[in-house]
């Protein structure tokens, strides 16, 4: 059914590893994985086998770490290669540095005749319809080529609310322009560092609370949706949340800012 709520399992949403937390990975329905961080390790073999499409936001380790292991665990159980979608630069980096037959087998060519994955380049702004779901690659500004994603039910007759994921990004007007044009049901946006680390956040293409608060002023006045904070660095979680709450209180229009947790189940 096209109008049933779209379940999104937060397998991981942390900016680093620590007991009980995992790095970025979201399971949309049961067949689309957005990023493949350490959260993938909490899936059963049955869960892994059902994943037909993996969308990667960028090539950094915390977002791709479990892809090689996922393919090794579930590849032989599947009848078709997993479609791995990402920017061409991301796919090239993966192929060169990970699936190079040294760090890991090249599963885009192995096993011979029935490889476990198919690398599918995408462009920022591209929209893919996958069964009854729609995935759009959104602009992001990070230290390496990156995208975010908007995911929704495909509804031919009417726009459906989207789950929007910023990916790793610093401030980026193009992202907010697209967000304002979409029917957003909920937004997951990163705030990796506290304001004390604002310099590092800027150098590494991330948000800090003051920068995020300024960015949130770009949301059109008629838009309301929950804003979930992700990708916080484990050593700074409480500092980031404290600073973000204070910055949000000072906005002329305070927003519905929430904390995203590993294991959370979102319904769009
Ligand atoms: N110049 C830097 N100095 C220290 N740490 C960095 C620097 N650049 C990037 N990093 C860290 O490396 C991490 C790579 O993944 P992230 O972008 O999530 O977050 C980044 C920071 O935590």
């Amino acid at each position: 059914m096209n109008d049933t709520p779209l379940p999104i399992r937060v397998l991981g949403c942390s900016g680093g590893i620590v007991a009980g937390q995992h790095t970025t990975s979201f399971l949309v329905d049961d067949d689309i994985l957005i990023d493949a961080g350490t959260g993938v390790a909490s899936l059963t073999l049955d869960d892994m086998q059902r994943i037909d499409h993996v969308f990667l936001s960028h090539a950094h380790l915390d977002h791709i770490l479990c892809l090689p292991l996922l393919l090794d665990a579930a590849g032989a159980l599947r009848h078709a290669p997993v479609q791995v979608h990402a920017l061409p630069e991301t796919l090239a980096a993966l192929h060169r540095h990970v699936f190079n037959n040294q760090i890991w087998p090249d599963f885009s060519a192995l096993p011979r005749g029935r490889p476990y994955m198919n690398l599918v380049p995408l462009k920022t702004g591209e929209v893919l319809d996958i069964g009854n779901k729609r995935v759009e690659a959104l602009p992001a500004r990070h230290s390496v080529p990156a995208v975010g994603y908007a995911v929704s039910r495909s509804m031919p007759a009417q726009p459906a609310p989207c789950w929007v994921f910023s990916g790793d990004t610093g401030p980026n007007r193009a992202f907010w322009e697209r967000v304002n044009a979409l029917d957003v049901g909920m937004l997951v946006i990163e705030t990796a560092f506290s304001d004390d680390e604002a310099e590092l956040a800027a150098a590494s293409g991330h948000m800090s609370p003051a920068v995020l608060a300024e960015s949130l002023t770009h949301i059109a006045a008629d838009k309301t949706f929950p804003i979930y904070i992700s990708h916080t660095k484990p050593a700074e979680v409480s500092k980031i949340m404290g600073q973000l709450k204070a910055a949000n209180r000072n906005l002329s229009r305070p927003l519905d800012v929430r904390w995203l947790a590993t294991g959370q189940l979102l319904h769009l």
Side-chain angles (χ1 to χ4, degrees), residues 56 67-68 70-72 75 80-85 90-102 104-121:
L56 299 173
L67 178 62
L70 166 71
L71 294 167
D72 188 43
V82 176
Q83 307 296 303
V84 177
H85 308 262
T90 304
L91 295 179
L94 268 183
H95 201 216
R96 182 166 182 201
H97 300 296
V98 179
F99 294 100
N100 56 9
N101 292 321
Q102 292 182 52
W104 208 251
D106 177 7
F107 284 142
S108 66
L110 295 173
R112 278 187 217 293
R114 54 171 307 266
Y116 289 161
M117 72 172 167
N118 183 26
L119 300 176
V120 188

Side-chain angles (χ1 to χ4, degrees), residues 5-30:
L6 191 56
I8 297 158
R9 259 173 81 182
V10 183
L11 305 177
C13 59
S14 173
I17 53 164
V18 69
Q21 304 229 12
H22 292 291
T23 69
T24 310
S25 190
F26 301 95
L27 185 63
V28 179
D29 235 351
D30 61 354

Side-chain angles (χ1 to χ4, degrees), residues 15 58 60 62-63 142-143 168 192-193 200 203-206 231 233:
H58 64 297
H60 275 166
D62 53 326
H63 296 253
H142 194 40
S143 52
D168 283 15
F193 294 104
L200 176 55
S204 58
H206 283 292
H231 208 282
K233 294 289 176 180

Side-chain angles (χ1 to χ4, degrees), residues 203-221:
S204 58
H206 283 292
M207 301 278 192
S208 51
V211 172
L212 179 71
E214 197 282 327
S215 293
L216 295 180
T217 64
H218 298 301
I219 297 175

Side-chain angles (χ1 to χ4, degrees), residues 148-197:
Y149 289 105
V151 185
S152 61
R153 288 275 187 223
S154 336
M155 305 263 232
Q158 64 196 78
C162 306
W163 174 78
V164 173
F165 165 56
S166 71
D168 283 15
T169 188
N172 180 12
R173 282 299 281 267
F175 174 77
W176 297 110
E177 277 163 23
R178 190 62 196 131
V179 164
N180 284 333
L182 289 167
D183 176 5
V184 180
M186 61 182 82
L187 167 65
V188 172
I189 189 158
E190 72 125 289
T191 310
F193 294 104
S194 74
D195 287 328
D196 309 23
E197 298 275 18

